[in-house]
Amino acid sequence: PIMTSMPVRLAYVLRITALAVVALLTALPGCRRDAPAYDNVILVTIDTLRADHRGLYGYPRPTSPYLDELGREGVVFWHAVTASSHTAPSHATILTSLYPEQHRVLVNGQELDPEIPALAGVLGEQGLDTAAFVSVRFLDGLRPGFDTFDAEVAEGEVFRTANGTVDRAVAWLRAREPGRRFALWVHVYDPHQHVVTTRMPEPYYRHMREDSARRGDELLYYLRQEQAYPHDTLSGNIDRYDAQIAFVDAQVRRLFEAVAEAAPAERTLRVVTADHGEGLGNHGIEGHGQHLYQEQLRAPLILHGDPERLRHGVITSQVRHVDVLPTVAELLGVPSGPEDLRLEGVSLVPLLE
């Protein structure tokens, strides 16, 4: 009798164990079929912004007080890696969760295949209004899926300054139908090593020049020790670059204040990153686009939202730009498994939890 009843008992025990495991998994964060954490998302990409020129990442200058404030409230990814040191390929990766050799946007100006699922199309299918306001014409090829796409730049200009792009985005936010869910991408271009002086935000530039004059040796020592800065004297490029970051920081503050007026803050996910960094002389490289050193591939990445759902933390695990789309999709309750989308990245939600 004992021998004949063992299979029955074993099956009973296994069944009870399986039910207990399912109950436990269902109770764990990330395994529940809860309502989406967020209704809206705003993605801000700051062109050519090095992570290590922001206060939150250890830089001693006050280049980014507002973005640092967001980081102290949200989640900071310490080692976020881009897919390219070139603008359009990197942005295409952020939007598609594919690497450049897969989405085939390999240089600035190329067009993204509209058949490739991208952030705007994926969220648009869920009923979100989708809009993009970018600061250079050569990103116009990334418009597939967006209801509104603004890449207008004045004749004879290389880019539209951050205040002009933010003006357009704020106008769109204020004109849209209240209560509708939205996905907004805003790209600003200003922080570049070789932007001509006539396009400089003068108050910020003057402040950085005065800062260099006041504590130049201290700043030079930091740059040489912490960033392997190769020069014996401070280059004017450093003051110009840092001034542009400070100017952009003020414009992002203005943008997010308008977002808070347009939608409940606790239901809006904010994602801030950069497409790549800048050489600034490291490894003998000025600029970007042709090399794959860390100063060009490490990007800042911050997620900010409802503090009850997205508690502050610093995540030191390496993450990638291909992880942005699946993370946003999960937080907005959008299906993004292998049966739904072809993705190279993974959702970062387990790290957040």
Side-chain angles (χ1 to χ4, degrees):
I2 295 176
M3 294 296 294
T4 57
S5 62
M6 279 297 291
V8 176
R9 291 178 181 177
L10 180 60
Y12 177 77
V13 170
L14 290 176
R15 184 182 179 195
I16 294 299
T17 302
L19 290 173
V21 169
V22 169
L24 175 62
L25 289 177
T26 304
L28 287 174
C31 298
R32 296 187 298 266
R33 293 288 182 177
D34 288 345
Y38 298 98
D39 295 324
N40 316 299
V41 61
I42 174 167
L43 168 66
V44 173
T45 56
I46 303 174
D47 211 299
T48 318
L49 174 61
R50 280 177 60 152
D52 60 7
H53 272 250
R54 286 191 45 203
L56 193 66
Y57 288 82
Y59 197 53
R61 271 182 158 175
T63 54
S64 52
Y66 178 68
L67 292 174
D68 295 347
E69 179 183 326
L70 287 181
R72 287 189 293 269
E73 296 174 354
V75 178
V76 178
F77 294 91
W78 199 254
H79 292 290
V81 180
T82 74
S84 172
S85 62
H86 207 43
T87 298
S90 181
H91 277 99
T93 289
I94 294 171
L95 297 177
T96 65
S97 187
L98 300 176
Y99 290 108
E101 66 271 19
Q102 296 169 311
H103 58 60
R104 304 304 297 170
V105 177
L106 303 179
V107 295
N108 292 339
Q110 289 185 325
E111 295 184 3
L112 181 65
D113 184 345
E115 296 300 316
I116 294 177
L119 183 69
V122 170
L123 298 182
E125 289 178 356
Q126 302 298 313
L128 278 74
D129 297 333
T130 59
F133 297 86
V134 302
S135 298
V136 287
R137 296 185 192 90
F138 60 71
L139 288 180
D140 187 70
L142 303 185
R143 68 168 55 237
F146 284 100
D147 302 324
T148 299
F149 196 98
D150 184 333
E152 184 179 337
V153 178
E155 189 68 30
E157 297 289 357
V158 175
F159 69 99
R160 179 170 57 191
T161 55
N163 56 326
T165 299
V166 168
D167 285 345
R168 298 288 184 93
V170 169
W172 179 84
L173 282 167
R174 291 173 175 168
R176 51 182 299 279
E177 181 181 339
R180 287 185 57 84
R181 301 176 70 194
F182 66 87
L184 173 62
W185 169 32
V186 176
H187 158 266
V188 294
Y189 187 80
D190 306 65
H192 275 69
Q193 182 173 344
H194 298 300
V195 169
V196 295
T197 307
T198 55
R199 300 301 300 279
M200 288 298 303
E202 178 53 37
Y204 299 92
Y205 186 32
R206 183 174 61 253
H207 174 73
M208 294 303 171
R209 292 200 310 270
E210 293 170 351
D211 183 72
S212 289
R214 183 173 62 253
R215 57 173 183 142
D217 290 343
E218 175 190 343
L219 180 60
L220 179 61
Y221 179 82
Y222 175 88
L223 289 170
R224 289 176 62 84
Q225 293 296 314
E226 300 296 330
Q227 298 184 11
Y229 186 66
H231 305 305
D232 295 326
T233 58
L234 275 176
S235 163
N237 285 335
I238 298 295
D239 288 338
R240 286 192 290 271
Y241 184 69
D242 289 348
Q244 292 155 6
I245 296 173
F247 172 64
V248 163
D249 183 78
Q251 301 308 312
V252 175
R253 177 191 293 273
R254 191 163 64 88
L255 172 65
F256 281 1
E257 287 173 350
V259 170
E261 294 173 1
E266 70 277 6
R267 301 299 300 169
T268 303
L269 176 67
R270 303 159 189 81
V271 183
V272 181
T273 190
D275 55 348
H276 53 73
E278 187 74 305
L280 295 177
N282 293 122
H283 294 97
I285 304 302
E286 307 288 341
H288 61 272
Q290 299 179 356
H291 302 276
L292 300 176
Y293 293 114
Q294 171 150 308
E295 58 268 15
Q296 298 183 2
L297 293 186
R298 182 189 178 201
L301 177 59
I302 294 174
L303 299 186
H304 185 280
D306 178 7
E308 294 299 318
R309 292 176 176 265
L310 199 62
R311 292 184 295 275
H312 168 66
V314 177
I315 294 176
T316 57
S317 304
Q318 186 185 88
V319 300
R320 308 154 299 166
H321 268 167
V322 289
D323 302 327
V324 171
L325 172 54
T327 303
V328 170
E330 180 167 353
L331 289 173
L332 269 70
V334 177
S336 62
E339 68 281 2
D340 303 301
L341 299 172
R342 177 193 173 193
L343 303 173
E344 288 294 331
V346 297
S347 172
L348 301 177
V349 170
L351 287 179
L352 303 180
E353 295 173 339

